Amino acid sequence: MIDMQDILCVLKVAEEKSITAAANKLFLTQSAVSQKVTKVEKELGLALFIRTNRSVELTDAGVFFVTKASALNSSWEDFFLSMEQFSSMDKNQCSVGLPALINFTEIPDLLAGFTMACPNYQLTTFPEFEDSKYKNLLNGKLDFCFDRGSVNAPKTPKYITAVPLRNDTLSLLLHKDDPLTKKSSPVRSSDLTGYHMLINAPHNTHDVEKAAQITYSVCHDSASPSMITKPGIFIPLPQSVCTRILAQSPHLRAVAFEDDMPISLSLLYRTDRQNIENHPFYRYVLNYYQTQQE
């Protein structure tokens, strides 16, 4: 029986006027394309091509076949496009803002778990920075946003709720040869005078910049740890994130900052959205972290 791949091979050979060129475009071997063309001709009992050493040309039967098969191929493509659109329409959409250095957290596993548990939901993720998370929640671009910040940070704006998911402490990621890695006590702001800080947004300086004479660079590529190439450069990060980075970056070390400054990972959402706390993503995230704590 002739199938659509057989028909596509004939159409591509007719277009390229070469079995070799058609095979390259279809990512098949020349032998495979030749066999499919021969198969179609045998099934129909018609010669579709006149083969020469330099090229292949359509016969009258071949011209008729290509005309009918092209229309069939267009209908086939329209069919699959319609099914893809139907599949997309059938899924509920959920947009989520993600913090910096997401790959060094448990959040990718969480998102994958939710997708498997709720296949009728399609997740769209966005990197979120301090200066845009609230705006994007309020204007509806985001349904939820993961947020890391100080436990003592100012309250969230009106209509935004932050649900704590996990407590953490602030550490500094440094080069292994940095003298601060030899300190027996937590690093303080005064120890960082003359240092250079890498951050993912200007607002994420915590209180370090205010208390010490330091310079900083805003690295919108999530302040890659690979940029810490020598002593005197650091990234302030949650200890849990540092732990995962250190497993892959032997040239780095993490030290406690300011007597284990408390920070938290929270889930942000708009309080005024109807029934938001019954949303499957909200319930899945809270259950995920509750299970981790147990």
Side-chain angles (χ1 to χ4, degrees):
M1 294 292 291
I2 299 173
D3 59 30
M4 277 306 301
Q5 189 175 40
D6 299 330
I7 293 173
L8 290 175
C9 282
V10 173
L11 290 176
K12 186 57 67 174
V13 171
E15 178 184 341
E16 300 293 331
K17 296 184 177 180
S18 165
I19 291 178
T20 301
N24 291 335
K25 291 292 181 66
L26 294 169
F27 301 101
L28 296 172
T29 65
Q30 181 178 345
S31 174
V33 173
S34 181
Q35 288 175 11
K36 288 183 177 297
V37 171
T38 301
K39 172 186 173 183
V40 173
E41 289 180 322
K42 286 185 176 179
E43 286 284 341
L44 297 175
L46 296 169
L48 301 180
F49 295 100
I50 301 173
R51 296 164 175 80
T52 67
N53 292 333
R54 294 187 177 182
S55 65
V56 293
E57 298 290 340
L58 288 169
T59 62
D60 290 342
V63 172
F64 184 79
F65 178 94
V66 167
T67 301
K68 295 296 184 179
S70 296
L72 177 62
N73 184 46
S74 295
S75 298
W76 187 254
E77 290 176 349
D78 288 344
F79 164 73
F80 273 104
L81 178 61
S82 298
M83 292 308 299
E84 287 175 359
Q85 291 174 341
F86 179 83
S87 176
S88 177
M89 291 170 55
D90 195 41
K91 287 190 175 183
N92 297 300
Q93 306 295 317
C94 183
S95 56
V96 182
L98 304 177
L101 292 169
I102 182 67
N103 290 334
F104 296 103
T105 73
E106 72 287 347
I107 295 178
D109 291 337
L110 181 155
L111 298 178
F114 172 77
T115 301
M116 293 180 64
C118 301
N120 60 319
Y121 273 83
Q122 181 172 323
L123 284 181
T124 304
T125 58
F126 300 90
E128 279 306 309
F129 301 111
E130 190 72 25
D131 55 353
S132 61
K133 60 186 178 184
Y134 296 136
K135 180 182 73 173
N136 288 334
L137 282 166
L138 291 171
N139 66 20
K141 178 181 178 180
L142 295 177
D143 295 306
F144 300 95
C145 182
F146 289 97
D147 180 52
R148 286 194 296 250
S150 170
V151 171
N152 301 318
K155 292 183 178 181
T156 56
K158 186 178 181 182
Y159 300 126
I160 300 293
T161 293
V163 178
L165 302 174
R166 186 192 61 215
N167 291 327
D168 212 331
T169 55
L170 184 65
S171 293
L172 303 184
L173 201 61
L174 298 155
H175 192 275
K176 65 181 178 62
D177 296 328
D178 199 296
L180 291 182
T181 62
K182 308 299 190 294
K183 283 197 64 171
S184 57
S185 59
V187 174
R188 300 188 179 279
S189 297
S190 57
D191 298 321
L192 296 170
T193 299
Y195 272 69
H196 187 80
M197 177 168 59
L198 302 176
I199 52 176
N200 74 303
H203 300 81
N204 290 351
T205 59
H206 303 282
D207 294 322
V208 180
E209 182 197 1
K210 299 176 184 177
Q213 295 179 352
I214 65 173
T215 57
Y216 68 86
S217 297
V218 178
C219 305
H220 290 289
D221 61 350
S222 297
S224 170
S226 64
M227 297 177 70
I228 304 178
T229 56
K230 61 182 179 179
I233 304 172
F234 73 96
I235 305 177
L237 288 172
Q239 176 57 41
S240 60
V241 177
C242 289
T243 299
R244 296 187 180 222
I245 292 176
L246 294 176
Q248 303 178 29
S249 306
H251 70 291
L252 301 178
R253 299 289 184 272
V255 298
F257 178 71
E258 293 282 11
D259 296 323
D260 298 332
M261 179 184 289
I263 58 177
S264 67
L265 176 70
S266 301
L267 184 68
L268 306 182
Y269 62 95
R270 278 181 55 178
T271 312
D272 62 334
R273 287 188 56 180
Q274 186 176 6
N275 216 28
I276 190 67
E277 293 180 358
N278 287 324
H279 194 288
F281 186 77
Y282 175 87
R283 297 199 307 269
Y284 186 89
V285 170
L286 264 61
N287 181 67
Y288 180 92
Y289 282 98
Q290 183 178 356
T291 302
Q292 280 198 335
Q293 292 171 6
E294 294 174 352

